[in-house]
Amino acid sequence: MASKGLSKGAKKLLDNGTKYTSFCNGHTCPIPYATRSMATVSPSVVEPTNLSTAPPSSDPQYVASLPVSTSPKPFRQPRNPFISSVPVTLHSFPSMEPVSLTTYPSTHLLVPLRRDILHRAVIFEGDNTRQGTASTKWRSEVHGSGRKIRPQKGSGSARLGDKKSPMLRGGGVAFGPKPRDFGTDLPRKIYDLAWRTALSYRYRRGELLVTDNLLKIPVRSLPPATNLKRWTKELLEANGLGNGHGRSLFIGLKEKKNYTFFSILKDEDIGRHGRGLGVDDVDVKDLLEGGRVVVERRALDLMLEAHQSDLGPGMRFESEEIAEILGDIEDPEIAV
Amino acid sequence: MRRIIQFQRSIDLLLDASAPGTLCTTCQLRAASLQRRQFSSSTSRHATAETFLQSLEKRLTGKNPQSQFAELKKVRGEAKKELSEEEYEAFTREIDEAQEAPTPEPNFLDRDAANNPNYKPATTWAGLSRVGSEEWLERRRDKGPPYKGWLGGKTRGVRADHMQAIVRHTVVEALALQQAGRDVLEICDQPRGLPDLQRMALSASIRVEGSGKKVNLVYAVPEDQERLLDLPAATAPKDIVEAVFETTEQHVDLANGASTDVIEDELPTKPTDQGKRDEMPDAKDVWLNISLDDLSLRFAIIKRLMQITGRRIPDNVTNDSSRVSILLGALMTKPKPKRLNQDLRARNQLTQVSNVELSAKRVTPIDKEKKVGRWKVIEEELLRRGLPVTGHRDI
């Protein structure tokens, strides 16, 4: 019986007459679905053995060889039951009022937690951030002559060469540090997966807040004599974003010098409550630090688009606005 | 709200519990005195009998403004007993008038001995306002309004039985709007906490068909359906929330001995389906099985609940809340304590063990010395020798 070579699942599927592709040992078999037993293969039905390399139907040679009886149904990839969409509330800054709900794919914000991948990414970032400028002088670099300071034999003490020996005071360092590059490599796909894992970790814990508009203080709507530091501090404390609630990381599209909110966060007093970064300056480590991440929606879209190299073309996230952002340099809303 | 600058504060601050701060002696004396009495905050050097009002004034000029307000309440009660009717009326009239009166500008000439014969310079700094610091300068220059967010900044503890009633009536109102073909988000704009509307919502019975996706609302009174949708104009958000809580208390059946546990602060990260057994309603309640697969309905209900409770509901709870019961479970589950000692005390573990002591802070060697009583001696000796008591001396 032809079905002997199939896995248990495949047999079950075939017995039920379901229209799913059968699976052999977990991978898709080029066996099309069938509604009858495979015990006898009718010569009138000649199914192509490999559907993915099936020649186009316009090929006359192929068409001539096709049987006239039951036409094979086209292959349909079954829906992946593990992919869904997750809702994300969009807030209005600075009131932090929930204004709408949008969805993101679960491949981007509901990735299973993989601590080992997060660890690798954080170590990778740390290694590449190292300055690596520690330097010492070895015995050949220490200033001094190479004269033998005492004879080889007869002095009664240990034999010594020059005075630059690391055994002696004032000598060189034995194998001391030299400036070098501590950078390591990490496959891009793993780094991208780590990025999305960090965002998913925050989402699962309810520590990811997304704002619909830019992270800008409405300076023009406040009286000119308003103390913006005091106002910002009240904003952070009222919304539970400050030091008393574990601090927050604010991610904006660009960290320009006149980005008022971010510049206030650099103040010594207000800086205890949180910090602001542009999308280009964020790391996986930054996403994992602090109490929560508050990110602009477009910045989040940018991050997700930039870190999905491990996903297939059918599962990639594409935002229509990102193309506008990348193409439009003189966006008046971004230029504060 | 105009930001009141410190030197302009007067008796209103003493009587307004929400505004901390000290008062100058002049303003305190005005509050506590009758017209013809003279008071002095300085120490009396003569052996004079202290009048009742003088003792009141002493109690009101405490250091802690919070205790001053509490003291004023006690003082009112005692004054009622001690003073005659006329004196008590005059006493309370002074206080009430000062509460309603606009903030008077302080007359600094009164503080000059040349102009005011009753002026006596203070011997301590109790009750005097402080001027001249950088923060004081910044506060003076700051003419801007305070920050006002959407949530209001204050969360309130909600009883478990109240939470069920609030969720139920929110769901009914949202469904009423949805079935009438209107935007479900209107639930957040309108003052749905008004007594009549809440009564209509709570009295409507819900019939759920299928797997919770088809819901029928049956109103106790047929006219309720139109009235529920015909909403008055929106008022201030604070009024909405307060009205919801007041009317919820009226509608919840307290005779059943419902749980009085208060759920504080933030939501936990993982919502449970049923929460705590003793606090959850009967599992047969059909309204718990209403499906929230419609994201617009789910968002509207969650936003309204955030508005009422003052707590932010995170996205992971929004994601998991495919049914009303899950959302209710998330709202009713108490958050896990952040500190180990709080967790152990809550679970009553290790509290009875005689050789175990729970401490809120890290126990340092200084704490151990203090407990034994040796620290005073050590500190004195270190200071005598000019050594740093804690930390390291700068080299």
Side-chain angles (χ1 to χ4, degrees):
Chain A
M1 214 166 107
S3 61
K4 255 190 191 170
L6 297 170
S7 63
K8 274 190 193 171
K11 285 181 203 170
K12 203 173 167 184
L13 287 168
L14 288 173
D15 289 341
N16 290 339
T18 54
K19 295 185 182 173
Y20 295 122
T21 315
S22 58
F23 288 86
C24 291
N25 299 328
H27 65 270
T28 309
C29 277
I31 302 170
Y33 85 102
T35 52
R36 58 195 170 117
S37 165
M38 296 279 280
T40 52
V41 180
S42 164
S44 61
V45 180
V46 178
E47 287 107 358
T49 51
N50 195 350
L51 283 172
S52 59
T53 57
S57 56
S58 58
D59 187 353
Q61 199 177 350
Y62 172 70
V63 170
S65 65
L66 272 180
V68 185
S69 62
T70 56
S71 55
K73 298 260 172 92
F75 171 74
R76 278 185 307 174
Q77 179 82 27
R79 199 180 137 270
N80 188 336
F82 300 107
I83 295 176
S84 59
S85 63
V86 292
V88 169
T89 309
L90 297 178
H91 301 84
S92 163
F93 190 81
S95 66
M96 299 307 287
E97 175 189 356
V99 291
S100 63
L101 203 69
T102 185
T103 55
Y104 283 89
S106 62
T107 48
H108 291 70
L109 284 184
L110 212 62
V111 178
L113 180 62
R114 283 284 302 271
R115 292 175 191 268
D116 59 323
I117 289 180
L118 288 176
H119 176 263
R120 283 183 73 181
V122 170
I123 297 298
F124 163 71
E125 285 170 355
D127 288 345
N128 285 287
T129 312
R130 283 187 77 159
Q131 226 175 342
T133 51
S135 182
T136 51
K137 284 183 172 41
W138 289 4
R139 64 179 299 168
S140 59
E141 292 157 347
V142 172
H143 182 80
S145 78
R147 176 182 57 83
K148 191 170 174 69
I149 52 178
R150 61 166 171 257
Q152 181 78 2
K153 294 180 77 67
S155 63
S157 308
R159 49 193 177 179
L160 289 171
D162 58 14
K163 64 176 182 181
K164 298 186 285 182
S165 160
M167 304 274 286
L168 304 180
R169 178 178 175 271
V173 176
F175 298 115
K178 287 288 182 193
R180 61 185 171 112
D181 181 20
F182 285 86
T184 53
D185 290 329
L186 186 71
R188 185 182 174 78
K189 292 183 181 179
I190 293 183
Y191 186 69
D192 287 350
L193 178 61
W195 195 283
R196 297 200 320 279
T197 306
L199 285 171
S200 305
Y201 170 77
R202 287 299 200 178
Y203 178 85
R204 274 214 178 79
R205 295 170 70 90
E207 292 166 357
L208 183 68
L209 290 168
V210 184
T211 62
D212 198 20
N213 51 347
L214 294 177
L215 292 171
K216 281 169 64 174
I217 294 175
V219 180
R220 286 176 198 158
S221 63
L222 294 171
T226 307
N227 187 338
L228 289 179
K229 280 189 203 169
R230 184 265 312 161
W231 196 88
T232 307
K233 195 176 170 185
E234 287 177 0
L235 181 161
L236 297 171
E237 285 171 355
N239 291 298
L241 302 174
N243 197 31
H245 297 89
R247 307 185 193 184
S248 307
L249 171 68
F250 295 90
I251 302 176
L253 275 173
K254 288 181 186 180
E255 194 197 349
K256 283 192 165 186
K257 284 182 185 174
N258 48 354
Y259 219 157
T260 318
F261 179 54
F262 281 12
S263 62
I264 291 172
L265 287 175
K266 285 183 181 158
D267 177 69
E268 197 186 323
D269 188 33
I270 309 295
R272 294 169 47 244
H273 296 285
R275 60 180 183 138
L277 287 175
V279 160
D280 299 332
D281 300 324
V282 180
D283 285 336
V284 172
K285 191 179 174 196
D286 297 325
L287 292 175
L288 296 170
E289 280 179 332
R292 69 202 51 75
V293 173
V294 182
V295 59
E296 292 171 7
R297 178 178 54 82
R298 293 193 287 182
L300 178 66
D301 291 351
L302 207 64
M303 283 199 289
L304 293 177
E305 271 213 18
H307 297 282
Q308 53 182 1
S309 62
D310 58 311
L311 295 173
M315 288 198 287
R316 294 227 171 130
F317 171 78
E318 282 170 8
S319 169
E320 292 171 1
E321 288 185 71
I322 295 301
E324 291 175 27
I325 292 166
L326 294 175
D328 190 358
I329 300 168
E330 293 174 3
D331 184 7
E333 208 180 354
I334 296 173
V336 174
Chain B
M1 185 181 85
R2 185 177 72 87
R3 195 162 176 85
I4 302 171
I5 304 170
Q6 198 174 8
F7 68 82
Q8 289 179 348
R9 288 180 186 168
S10 66
I11 194 171
D12 295 8
L13 294 174
L14 176 64
L15 299 170
D16 182 7
S18 63
T22 55
L23 291 185
C24 62
T25 317
T26 310
C27 304
Q28 288 164 4
L29 290 175
R30 281 188 66 198
S33 69
L34 293 177
Q35 286 176 359
R36 292 177 188 173
R37 300 250 179 188
Q38 305 280 336
F39 292 98
S40 165
S41 64
S42 59
T43 318
S44 175
R45 292 187 182 179
H46 303 285
T48 55
E50 198 180 66
T51 62
F52 175 68
L53 287 169
Q54 279 178 335
S55 68
L56 288 187
E57 183 249 328
K58 266 193 182 176
R59 285 166 67 183
L60 289 175
T61 54
K63 284 181 187 174
N64 185 359
Q66 300 297 332
S67 67
Q68 283 181 20
F69 185 73
E71 202 60 37
L72 184 65
K73 278 178 105 175
K74 282 188 202 170
V75 152
R76 273 187 196 254
E78 286 179 20
K80 200 167 185 184
K81 291 176 199 170
E82 292 279 343
L83 298 173
S84 66
E85 275 192 33
E86 289 171 359
E87 286 179 339
Y88 178 69
E89 271 177 35
F91 176 72
T92 49
R93 210 186 310 127
E94 277 267 350
I95 294 174
D96 293 340
E97 276 172 9
Q99 210 166 5
E100 287 163 22
T103 313
E105 290 287 332
N107 188 359
F108 292 104
L109 293 174
D110 286 346
R111 299 188 185 181
D112 191 1
N115 294 323
N116 185 7
N118 298 326
Y119 170 76
K120 278 184 187 163
T123 52
T124 63
W125 66 21
L128 296 178
S129 55
R130 298 180 187 214
V131 298
S133 64
E134 284 202 24
E135 289 83 11
W136 176 81
L137 269 175
E138 276 187 24
R139 277 197 298 271
R140 277 196 72 177
R141 286 190 211 125
D142 188 4
K143 307 271 190 248
Y147 168 77
K148 198 175 179 186
W150 181 75
L151 270 181
K154 288 181 185 176
T155 59
R156 51 192 302 166
V158 183
R159 281 172 42 177
D161 43 3
H162 288 181
M163 185 65 83
Q164 293 169 28
I166 287 168
V167 173
R168 192 184 186 283
H169 105 260
T170 305
V171 168
V172 167
E173 288 172 358
L175 289 170
L177 278 171
Q178 194 184 46
Q179 286 174 4
R182 285 162 64 164
D183 183 18
V184 193
L185 272 173
E186 284 181 31
I187 194 178
C188 303
D189 299 332
Q190 304 296 337
R192 290 183 166 273
L194 294 177
D196 209 25
L197 293 169
Q198 202 166 3
R199 194 254 329 141
M200 287 191 281
L202 286 174
S203 62
S205 64
I206 304 171
R207 280 174 203 164
V208 177
E209 290 164 29
S211 56
K213 291 191 182 173
K214 197 176 172 197
V215 182
N216 287 326
L217 294 174
V218 178
Y219 298 90
V221 176
E223 289 79 25
D224 281 353
Q225 184 171 6
E226 281 182 30
R227 288 175 61 202
L228 201 67
L229 298 169
D230 184 21
L231 304 163
T235 56
K238 190 197 165 193
D239 300 335
I240 298 172
V241 175
E242 291 301 326
V244 165
F245 278 101
E246 281 165 15
T247 52
T248 304
E249 283 177 16
Q250 296 162 16
H251 287 110
V252 170
D253 185 11
L254 301 172
N256 286 342
S259 164
T260 54
D261 288 341
V262 169
I263 303 143
E264 301 284 347
D265 281 334
E266 323 148 4
L267 287 169
T269 52
K270 283 188 185 176
T272 56
D273 201 348
Q274 286 293 319
K276 285 189 179 176
R277 275 281 161 209
D278 54 348
E279 291 170 1
M280 282 298 298
D282 186 5
K284 291 177 191 172
D285 282 9
V286 291
W287 64 281
L288 291 169
N289 294 328
I290 292 173
S291 164
L292 295 178
D293 285 340
D294 181 7
L295 284 180
S296 58
L297 178 69
R298 198 191 296 187
F299 174 66
I301 291 173
I302 284 177
K303 184 175 176 179
R304 181 62 182 155
L305 290 171
M306 275 200 257
Q307 204 175 22
I308 294 173
T309 58
R311 289 156 57 185
R312 196 171 290 281
I313 297 175
D315 283 334
N316 60 316
V317 172
T318 308
N319 182 36
D320 294 335
S321 302
S322 54
R323 286 195 313 278
V324 175
S325 60
I326 299 174
L327 178 59
L328 183 62
L331 288 167
M332 287 175 57
T333 310
K334 284 186 188 174
K336 210 172 142 184
K338 287 182 184 174
R339 303 262 176 231
L340 178 63
N341 77 86
Q342 291 169 0
D343 193 16
L344 291 172
R345 277 182 223 278
R347 289 191 284 170
N348 210 21
Q349 279 183 346
L350 298 178
T351 48
Q352 306 300 326
V353 182
S354 59
N355 59 343
V356 170
E357 196 179 306
L358 296 177
S359 172
K361 288 183 184 178
R362 184 173 65 94
V363 179
T364 60
I366 295 176
D367 294 325
K368 291 176 186 170
E369 299 285 1
K370 277 182 182 170
K371 203 173 171 186
V372 172
R374 214 183 289 143
W375 177 246
K376 289 174 286 191
V377 177
I378 296 169
E379 194 179 14
E380 203 181 303
E381 186 61 26
L382 286 168
L383 288 169
R384 192 184 69 79
R385 295 188 191 188
L387 294 169
V389 175
T390 53
H392 303 278
R393 181 163 45 187
D394 293 332
I395 300 170

